[in-house]
Amino acid sequence: MTLYLFVHNTSWTVERRRVLVRNSVADRLPDEKLFLFFTAADGEVRRSDIAENFPEEPTARLLESVWRFAEVIRAGDPGEMTTRGEIVVPGMRDVAVAVFRAFALRCPNCGARGVTSSWFKLKRHCGQCRIRLERGESSEYFLGGMLFNIFLAELIFAAVLLIVTFTMWPKVPWRGMEFALVGAMIVAPIVLYPASRLLWLALDLLLRPPDATEMAWHKSESDE
């Protein structure tokens, strides 16, 4: 009977099989053991040996406990997936480092320089850690970066408006401010364009840190 398990944002097909296993190279007669095989959509396969009296219809909690200690016998290919780990809450220091790297136009993952091929285009991957800067997802991945771009431009607009108003009140040069801020709103998105894209990637990496399988997939491109 095929079972199903959903854990860590991934669906697993669970099958019960008997497998002949040699305990050592010298064994002539392998032992037959009962295993649970967990197969994910990305191709990862895990297995764990179980007792003969293991329930035919185990609870989800029991399946998850077996899955946690199961042996990975085939790594998955994440493809457009980013990470199968849980979303984490980053510390303030990590956030500060990520923001600095983004505005310094460095790789959000390792801090290396040279991740832009032009002002409006990122390179495919970081030259040092080899992470793909679109993280292997679709072309719409950086829509969040565009949102950051608009947000930062509006934040600058609001900050300048408040500072000038409070420092020059009541003699605020409204007409001059009008032209200056309109110009700034046109220039700011262009100036902030690469930083906003890297800031979006930095936030993604903070909340969904890449695991070893994903990093191996990123690096595989340079070996192709």
Side-chain angles (χ1 to χ4, degrees), residues 73-219:
I73 60 176
R74 187 173 69 199
D77 179 4
E80 290 192 356
M81 296 173 63
T82 53
T83 180
R84 289 156 295 167
E86 295 179 344
I87 292 179
V88 302
V89 179
M92 291 303 298
R93 181 181 180 279
D94 293 332
V95 173
V97 170
V99 171
F100 168 78
R101 287 176 175 176
F103 279 98
L105 304 186
R106 298 185 178 187
C107 173
N109 187 55
C110 68
R113 299 177 183 272
V115 293
T116 59
S117 56
S118 69
W119 193 257
F120 296 103
K121 187 177 180 180
L122 298 180
K123 292 183 177 178
R124 176 148 175 87
H125 54 75
C126 171
Q128 181 166 300
C129 70
R130 311 304 294 174
I131 193 169
R132 305 184 199 204
L133 298 176
E134 86 294 340
R135 207 173 180 182
E137 297 191 358
S138 68
S139 58
E140 297 179 352
Y141 177 70
F142 279 113
L143 287 179
M146 302 303 98
L147 178 64
F148 268 28
N149 186 279
I150 296 172
F151 171 76
L152 289 172
E154 292 183 348
L155 185 64
I156 292 173
F157 176 91
V160 172
L161 178 62
L162 289 174
I163 291 173
V164 173
T165 300
F166 279 106
T167 56
M168 303 188 70
W169 187 264
K171 297 181 180 180
V172 181
W174 295 112
R175 183 166 296 276
M177 281 183 59
E178 180 180 353
F179 289 107
L181 291 176
V182 168
M185 287 297 293
I186 296 174
V187 174
I190 299 174
V191 174
L192 297 171
Y193 184 81
S196 61
R197 294 188 67 179
L198 291 171
L199 191 60
W200 175 252
L201 176 59
L203 177 63
D204 187 22
L205 294 173
L206 284 172
L207 295 177
R208 302 184 300 165
D211 56 19
T213 300
E214 183 189 347
M215 289 306 299
W217 177 77
H218 287 298
K219 294 177 182 178

